[in-house]
Amino acid sequence: MEYETVIGLETHVQLGTRSKLFCSCPTDFGGEPNSQTCPVCLGLPGVLPVLNGKALEYAVTAGLALGCRIPETTKFDRKHYYYPDLPKNYQISQYDRPVCVGGAVEVETPDGAIRIRITRAHLEEDAGKLVHQGDSPTSGVDLNRTGIPLLEIVSEPDIRSPRNARLYLEAIRQIMRYAGVSECNMEQGSLRCDANISLRPAGAEELGTKVEIKNMNSFAHVEGALAYEEKRQAKALEKGEEIVQETRLYDAEAGTTRSMRTKEYADDYRYFPEPDLPEFHISEEMIKRLKGCVGELPLERKRRYMSEYGLSDYDAGVLTGEKPVAEYFEKIVETGADAKKACNWVTQDILRVLGEKKIAIGELKVRPKGVAELLDLIEAGRVNNTLARNRVFPKMAESGAAASEVIEKEGLAQVSDDAAIEEGCREAIGANPKALEDYRNGKKNAVQFLFGQAMRVLKGKGNPQAVRKALERLLSEEGGGQNAGRG
Ligand SMILES: [Zn+2]
């Protein structure tokens, strides 16, 4: 039997506010356990939550970036459950009137673009975490995360493969980063997701029984867990077994999922309106202002680079991967530099230096104008491409000096003077009689070898075209190639 896989994701994005959702405790990562707490987030009796306005703005901004509708009013609800990392025994979330409704994300896959609809996105507070200590019979609880603002983005079950689930999650991360609402740092848990997966006979309308896989925090885990679950369910269905609606956990090391508990339903949570918070109104003006903050989305930008600058799908994808990199590239182009050359410089040299230095593009000492100047100098023949790449640019990145300064100070100016180039070529030929002999015997790579030697004599500064031309002329004068030795 052929099955179709049906997947929906619930993505939790930590909004990048400096303080928590309902109190002023800091949201910094990695603090001493329980050092970032107060009576509100500890859930002590008699305290009142106060909504962080920035968190609401971020939620609206994220919703606008996802194409959601923002209802005029929104409200909070209590979701009840008992767990040691949840001191209030309820979580403040949103039940029937979320801040964002509807929307869709376009995702590029190797088989073409797909559209994943968004059901809703709502604000809620995070819970704390249990800290299990080796073999100790007791566990600790760290409530620093309690009350951190999360936006839960719920997709429709529009995803048809584990790979596309990963691509969707990557797209969400990129859009959230572009919108400036979250770093989506997976190692720090600021992007996590739960996935629902079910199988149905190919062509069937009705959905199969779904299983939820909880709390995954890496793209690879999402794809791995779903791929395992897809196989497990197909096997069970083939044997005529019934799929149990349940929550499962992914064991990344084993590459398997295991049952955690049977799935709970909304009724189990006894949702009711949060009595300590008013209804919130979202004005037209606020939506208008935040729309301006969203700007161009990653995929739009990528497509524009392809049509406006004639860049390849791959290059445009690399450039638009991170918004600051794309903006840096555009600033180089704004100076009048050739887009393709600017693209090569950014995707090859700049990204390499960022990787080596482990810095963000904003920390790079070379600004877009500096790159534009270097491109100009290469174009004008003041320095050759190889030296620009290997000597000039690294120095610029090190010291922040201008390209022309580095070229002068390091003596890297390109040698285009005919006499000097000819002299360099003669020296290379004179010092390598074996290569000359090879050349006379028709070995083509001898020319390439002598070219390298001549460039070495010229300390790498020769104008490559001029050196090649001079070398070829001198060699033909030496009487070589196929005619050698024929008298
Ligand atoms: Zn607090």
Side-chain angles (χ1 to χ4, degrees):
M1 173 95 88
E2 282 277 316
Y3 293 104
E4 181 181 47
T5 303
V6 177
I7 297 169
L9 293 192
E10 292 171 4
T11 311
H12 293 91
V13 172
Q14 177 180 333
L15 298 174
T17 57
R18 294 175 59 188
S19 57
K20 292 185 180 179
L21 188 52
F22 301 114
C23 64
S24 56
C25 290
T27 54
D28 304 330
F29 180 78
E32 277 289 303
N34 302 308
S35 62
Q36 294 161 200
T37 57
C38 73
V40 175
C41 54
L42 288 175
L44 300 186
V47 296
L48 285 175
V50 175
L51 179 66
N52 180 337
K54 194 76 193 168
L56 183 63
E57 282 196 3
Y58 279 161
V60 172
T61 307
L64 291 171
L66 297 169
C68 301
R69 186 171 63 76
I70 311 296
E72 263 179 61
T73 56
T74 188
K75 81 175 213 313
F76 288 87
D77 300 273
R78 291 187 180 180
K79 178 182 181 180
H80 296 85
Y81 63 98
Y82 174 84
Y83 204 70
D85 66 6
L86 187 74
K88 294 197 293 267
N89 289 340
Y90 64 84
Q91 177 190 28
I92 304 179
S93 180
Q94 298 195 286
Y95 183 52
D96 54 349
R97 284 163 60 198
V99 63
C100 313
V101 180
V105 176
E106 193 180 348
V107 180
E108 285 192 321
T109 78
D111 311 319
I114 53 171
R115 191 168 172 274
I116 311 296
R117 287 169 302 155
I118 304 288
T119 315
R120 56 183 277 166
H122 62 259
L123 270 168
E124 64 182 27
E125 55 179 349
D126 204 353
K129 97 178 169 197
L130 288 181
V131 186
H132 306 292
Q133 301 154 5
D135 293 333
S136 161
T138 59
S139 288
V141 63
D142 177 8
L143 298 176
N144 282 353
R145 287 200 68 88
T146 310
I148 282 194
L150 302 178
L151 184 72
E152 178 172 331
I153 303 164
V154 183
S155 87
E156 290 286 313
D158 287 349
I159 303 168
R160 293 289 170 268
S161 71
R163 182 202 67 193
N164 288 359
R166 190 197 73 215
L167 293 173
Y168 162 81
L169 193 61
E170 287 175 355
I172 290 280
R173 177 176 191 264
Q174 199 185 25
I175 292 168
M176 293 299 114
R177 289 171 63 97
Y178 260 67
V181 301
S182 174
E183 286 287 314
C184 289
N185 186 326
M186 296 189 112
E187 290 93 59
Q188 299 183 3
S190 65
L191 180 68
R192 285 140 37 205
C193 100
D194 304 337
N196 287 301
I197 174 170
S198 63
L199 264 54
R200 63 181 170 193
E205 283 284 319
E206 202 186 331
L207 291 170
T209 306
K210 68 183 177 185
V211 162
E212 186 178 31
I213 311 169
K214 273 275 186 218
N215 219 3
M216 292 170 285
N217 64 352
S218 95
F219 296 122
H221 288 184
V222 170
E223 188 172 3
L226 287 169
Y228 173 82
E229 193 56 26
E230 188 181 46
K231 275 201 202 111
R232 186 189 71 86
Q233 290 186 22
K235 246 193 216 158
L237 289 172
E238 247 147 52
K239 281 196 255 169
E241 290 170 10
E242 211 169 303
I243 303 292
V244 183
Q245 175 154 347
E246 61 182 353
T247 300
R248 297 178 75 89
L249 275 184
Y250 181 54
D251 179 342
E253 250 169 64
T256 59
T257 63
R258 61 186 158 79
S259 183
M260 187 167 101
R261 56 170 185 250
T262 53
K263 169 76 185 163
E264 56 288 278
Y265 296 84
D267 279 355
D268 299 337
Y269 289 123
R270 298 283 183 266
Y271 278 99
F272 71 69
E274 168 59 64
D276 292 338
L277 287 168
E279 187 178 272
F280 290 92
H281 181 77
I282 296 158
S283 68
E284 278 296 315
E285 293 79 63
M286 177 171 163
I287 293 177
K288 219 172 171 185
R289 175 169 58 83
L290 296 176
K291 244 183 199 151
C293 300
V294 172
E296 192 177 29
L297 294 172
L299 197 52
E300 287 173 53
R301 190 175 281 225
K302 180 184 165 190
R303 287 176 179 157
R304 178 166 66 81
Y305 283 11
M306 291 168 71
S307 63
E308 194 175 323
Y309 303 129
L311 299 179
S312 69
D313 184 90
Y314 177 81
D315 280 343
V318 175
L319 284 178
T320 54
E322 298 280 350
K323 192 178 186 179
V325 173
E327 284 173 344
Y328 189 103
F329 161 76
E330 286 193 32
K331 287 208 181 95
I332 302 175
V333 176
E334 274 165 24
T335 66
D338 177 73
K340 182 73 194 140
K341 283 182 181 154
C343 164
N344 287 343
W345 208 269
V346 173
T347 56
Q348 292 164 26
D349 301 273
I350 292 179
L351 292 183
R352 190 196 64 228
V353 168
L354 297 184
E356 283 167 4
K357 291 185 178 293
K358 297 192 169 52
I359 56 171
I361 200 156
E363 301 167 85
L364 186 66
K365 283 185 180 157
V366 188
R367 301 321 302 150
K369 259 174 90 175
V371 178
E373 192 208 355
L374 180 57
L375 289 175
D376 274 348
L377 293 170
I378 298 169
E379 190 65 31
R382 282 278 316 281
V383 63
N384 70 39
N385 211 40
T386 312
L387 283 185
R389 176 157 280 165
N390 300 335
R391 303 277 303 276
V392 184
F393 185 70
K395 266 267 151 32
M396 290 166 71
E398 208 58 61
S399 65
S404 51
E405 251 174 78
V406 175
I407 292 168
E408 191 168 332
K409 205 165 147 206
E410 305 281 318
L412 299 173
Q414 176 161 280
V415 176
S416 296
D417 171 55
D418 287 341
I421 285 178
E422 186 173 323
E423 183 53 42
C425 291
R426 278 189 199 287
E427 198 181 318
I429 294 169
N432 294 283
K434 171 79 171 57
L436 181 61
E437 191 61 36
D438 286 348
Y439 170 77
R440 284 179 172 146
N441 292 329
K443 286 192 186 158
K444 284 205 177 104
N445 55 8
V447 182
Q448 192 51 37
F449 173 78
L450 286 168
F451 171 78
Q453 294 303 306
M455 283 300 270
R456 223 173 91 175
V457 173
L458 292 161
K459 300 195 169 62
K461 294 183 283 189
N463 174 328
Q465 288 85 3
V467 172
R468 193 168 293 279
K469 229 164 111 188
L471 188 63
E472 278 166 4
R473 183 171 48 78
L474 289 173
L475 285 172
S476 71
E477 278 168 15
E478 292 278 351
Q482 300 305 324
N483 301 324
R486 289 196 191 160

